[in-house]
Amino acid sequence: MATIIRHHLNHIRRRSYAISAAARQQDTFLWTTTPIAAVKPAAESLFHITIDVSDSPDLASSYTTAGQYLQVRIPNVSKPAFFAIASPPVLAFTNCVFEFLVKCIAGSTAELLCGLGKGDVVEMSPVLGKGFDIDRISPPEEHQSVLIFATGSGISPIRSLIESGFSADKRSDVRLYYGARNLQRMAYQDGFKAWESSGVNIVPVLSRPDDTWSGETGYVQAAFARAKQVYAPESTGSVLCGQRQMAEEVTSILVGNGVPNEKILKNF
């Protein structure tokens, strides 16, 4: 019994140290207060939030690579939450805004954020992460296939990547497997035509479609596994963002087919 108690106490101490370390890291951030420019529905339970960074040039210029993220908090109300930036870096320069796709989860910081409106202020941490290292799947003539996978709000940094441009039109096979419960929960459908014209073939995958759906069903990893393996592993790259199990299973499929691990890009 004493051994069990000691083990439990050690677990509590380790957890306390981890929480304290995270709190210390947050305390070292220089938080920037910025106003919300717009909050609009993006899909069922998803909101497209635009934040004005025109008075924060250092913050705006620190966003350089699709796939980067930051923390957002509401002053004196909530703890910070991580969000990937859904807009390309150029938009921070030209329009002085960051855009986010936020899933409204009851009782969360995200729910509070989705309930705000134009003019309300939030605090943002510095931009974090290295983003998607596209150099690892460049030049395009040597990486003709790029397989992209996203589920739910994980489409956020993928949108940024596609709209930033990664020479998709110079590659022979660029596919986006985009998973959602149904079409009502699939964001950015109004951008699909432009994405397709840039060279990205979109494969929507619905896990719970209605009777009218004739496209891919189930989970993204299963849809990909059913597809013909037409790519050459040595000239294939991949980009992943979304549900953890999806990312792990897709990675396993890719590596099993000979795609090098270093060619599989993730933003976390």
Side-chain angles (χ1 to χ4, degrees), residues 17-241:
Y17 294 154
I19 292 172
S20 297
R24 287 194 299 272
Q25 183 185 33
Q26 289 179 13
D27 288 342
T28 64
F29 284 158
L30 177 62
W31 293 89
T32 302
T33 301
T34 55
I36 288 179
V39 178
K40 300 178 180 178
E44 185 179 303
S45 301
L46 293 170
F47 288 81
H48 186 71
I49 297 178
T50 304
I51 297 180
D52 182 354
V53 293
S54 57
D55 290 333
S56 310
D58 290 343
L59 179 63
S61 63
S62 67
Y63 176 36
T64 60
T65 307
Q68 289 181 297
Y69 53 93
L70 47 71
Q71 292 190 76
V72 180
R73 69 184 184 186
I74 302 170
N76 304 316
V77 175
S78 63
K79 62 182 181 180
F82 285 94
F83 297 105
I85 305 173
S87 49
V90 68
L91 207 62
F93 177 75
T94 58
N95 292 13
C96 298
V97 297
F98 285 170
E99 296 176 346
F100 301 90
L101 182 67
V102 179
K103 183 177 182 180
C104 186
I105 300 173
S108 69
T109 297
E111 181 185 37
L112 296 173
L113 188 59
C114 293
L116 298 179
K118 182 177 180 179
D120 289 330
V121 298
V122 297
E123 294 177 336
M124 295 199 292
S125 75
V127 174
L128 304 169
K130 296 181 179 179
F132 298 122
D133 186 2
I134 295 301
D135 287 345
R136 285 158 53 189
I137 55 173
S138 296
E141 56 268 21
E142 295 178 10
H143 300 82
Q144 282 291 294
S145 294
V146 177
L147 305 169
I148 308 171
F149 302 87
T151 55
S153 59
I155 194 65
S156 297
I158 299 301
R159 175 185 185 253
S160 175
L161 173 66
I162 293 172
E163 297 187 0
S164 294
F166 60 102
S167 302
D169 59 341
K170 296 180 181 178
R171 306 176 195 261
S172 61
D173 180 21
V174 179
R175 279 176 270 163
L176 166 60
Y177 288 86
Y178 179 9
R181 178 176 294 183
N182 50 47
L183 285 177
Q184 290 70 41
R185 294 202 175 195
M186 184 167 280
Y188 301 134
Q189 294 179 57
D190 57 349
F192 284 4
K193 186 176 180 179
W195 295 2
E196 292 265 10
S197 67
S198 73
V200 179
N201 179 31
I202 302 171
V203 184
V205 184
L206 304 183
S207 60
R208 298 183 187 177
D210 62 27
D211 294 338
T212 65
W213 179 250
S214 59
E216 289 286 351
T217 60
Y219 294 114
V220 160
Q221 56 269 40
F224 176 56
R226 289 193 298 268
K228 294 180 180 178
Q229 307 302 314
V230 295
Y231 56 81
E234 66 279 3
S235 61
T236 295
S238 183
V239 185
L240 303 174
C241 190

